[in-house]
């Protein structure tokens, strides 16, 4: 619905063709592989990208309100980047990137719900995202390319040259990557806090980031019964 009401023309046609191919995989894709990261459950990817999109649209309005430069992108661009920033987590179009972990020990003691697919070519999520979009004939502007690539900020060491340049020639010329970093981190942190609350786990000095201790093994890990999309986008 979001795609059909946002895009038009060749881009809309190409996106719908891509989603016709990927829809079954998207339904089962998590947003991460480890429970105490964020949304490590089937459907977690959809929940995450919709929440990031919601955050990004709200931030776009805030950027405009406070006078930040938004001259080189519009709300359609924001939605495109936000909803596709983690597309590479789906896999390569044929193979799934996340595979359910068959080791109950690792699930209970490390929260490792999924393994990554060792049979696939190694790529960063952002690189695989770019690969998938071009594979399905979806063209990117320079601003869209940079914003998808830089969404993880300095958590991805390869982004340092883009984000830490101080000279006029090397500093960012668009604010969208910064907007996307904030929208993504806010969503991931919310999802993590939601999981912590559901498990009644509080982060401590010895339990950094809410990782379960030996006394808090993740037994009987279950997927949520329902993802509350209405709370993100309304009816």
């Amino acid at each position: 619905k979001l795609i059909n009401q946002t895009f038009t023309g060749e881009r809309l046609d190409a996106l719908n063709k891509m989603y016709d191919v990927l829809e079954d995989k998207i339904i089962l894709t998590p947003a991460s592989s480890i429970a105490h990261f964020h949304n490590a459950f089937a459907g977690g990817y959809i929940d995450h990208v919709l929440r990031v999109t919601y955050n990004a649209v709200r931030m776009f309005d805030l950027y405009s309100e406070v006078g930040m430069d938004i001259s080189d992108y519009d709300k359609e661009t924001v939605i495109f980047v936000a909803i596709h920033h983690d597309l590479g987590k789906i896999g390569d179009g044929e193979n799934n990137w996340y595979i359910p972990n068959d080791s109950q020990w690792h699930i209970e003691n490390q929260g490792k719900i999924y393994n990554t697919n060792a049979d696939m070519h190694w790529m960063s999520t952002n690189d695989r995202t770019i690969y998938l979009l071009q594979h399905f004939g979806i063209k990117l502007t320079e601003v869209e390319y940079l914003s998808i690539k830089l969404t993880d900020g300095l958590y991805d060491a390869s982004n340092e040259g883009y984000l830490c340049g101080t000279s006029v020639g090397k500093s960012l010329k668009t604010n969208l990557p910064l907007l996307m970093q904030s929208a993504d981190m806010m969503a991931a942190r919310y999802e993590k806090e939601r999981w912590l609350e559901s498990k009644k786990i509080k982060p401590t000095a010895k339990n950094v980031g809410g990782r379960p201790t030996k006394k808090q093994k993740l037994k009987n890990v279950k997927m949520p019964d329902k993802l509350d999309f209405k709370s993100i986008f309304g009816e």
Side-chain angles (χ1 to χ4, degrees):
K1 179 180 178 180
L2 181 61
I3 289 169
N4 285 326
Q5 71 186 17
T6 302
F7 306 105
T8 58
E10 292 182 3
R11 172 164 279 191
L12 175 61
D13 291 340
L15 286 172
N16 277 323
K17 288 178 181 177
M18 179 180 74
Y19 282 108
D20 285 344
V21 174
L22 299 180
E23 61 185 359
D24 290 340
K25 294 183 180 300
I26 290 174
I27 290 170
L28 298 175
T29 298
S32 71
S33 61
I34 298 178
H36 55 275
F37 284 5
H38 68 111
N39 277 17
F41 53 81
Y45 167 86
I46 297 174
D47 181 83
H48 175 68
V49 298
L50 288 176
R51 185 170 287 106
V52 171
T53 303
Y54 173 82
N55 292 344
V57 170
R58 294 290 296 274
M59 287 184 180
F60 175 80
D61 292 337
L62 178 62
Y63 271 37
S64 177
E65 180 182 336
V66 301
M68 295 283 285
D69 183 13
I70 57 171
S71 61
D72 58 351
Y73 58 93
D74 55 18
K75 191 166 292 187
E76 180 177 326
T77 302
V78 171
I79 292 173
F80 176 82
V81 172
I83 207 169
H84 295 106
H85 77 282
D86 269 348
L87 185 67
K89 291 181 177 180
I90 293 168
D92 60 11
E94 296 182 3
N95 303 291
N96 295 325
W97 178 235
Y98 290 120
I99 302 172
N101 195 344
D102 58 5
S103 170
Q104 194 61 30
W105 185 94
H106 284 88
I107 293 174
E108 293 182 1
N109 291 275
Q110 297 182 354
K112 192 171 178 57
I113 312 298
Y114 294 86
N115 290 318
T116 53
N117 192 339
D119 293 331
M120 289 174 54
H121 289 294
W122 169 257
M123 292 186 192
S124 70
T125 296
N126 298 329
D127 284 343
R128 184 170 282 111
T129 293
I130 302 300
Y131 162 75
L132 282 173
L133 290 171
Q134 65 83 30
H135 176 76
F136 287 99
I138 301 165
K139 297 179 181 180
L140 300 175
T141 67
E142 285 184 296
V143 168
E144 290 168 343
Y145 174 89
L146 285 170
S147 300
I148 289 173
K149 176 174 176 53
L150 301 177
T151 293
D152 289 334
L154 292 177
Y155 284 98
D156 183 342
S158 69
N159 290 341
E160 182 177 355
Y162 292 87
L163 297 173
C164 296
T166 56
S167 68
V168 174
K170 292 185 177 181
S171 60
L172 279 177
K173 295 177 176 60
T174 177
N175 286 323
L176 186 53
L178 306 179
L179 184 156
M180 278 302 308
Q181 289 171 39
S182 298
D184 186 32
M185 290 304 299
M186 183 185 297
R189 184 64 190 181
Y190 169 81
E191 292 153 15
K192 181 184 182 73
E193 290 178 356
R194 182 177 63 177
W195 180 84
L196 290 171
E197 176 63 25
S198 73
K199 300 298 178 183
K200 305 302 180 185
I201 297 174
K202 293 185 178 181
T204 67
K206 294 182 179 180
N207 187 21
V208 178
R211 178 173 177 171
T213 65
K214 291 181 179 179
K215 294 182 180 180
Q216 298 169 322
K217 292 183 178 180
L218 303 182
K219 295 181 179 180
N220 301 318
V221 175
K222 295 180 180 179
M223 297 184 297
D225 294 329
K226 184 178 181 181
L227 301 179
D228 188 8
F229 294 125
K230 288 184 180 179
S231 67
I232 307 173
F233 287 105
E235 296 293 338

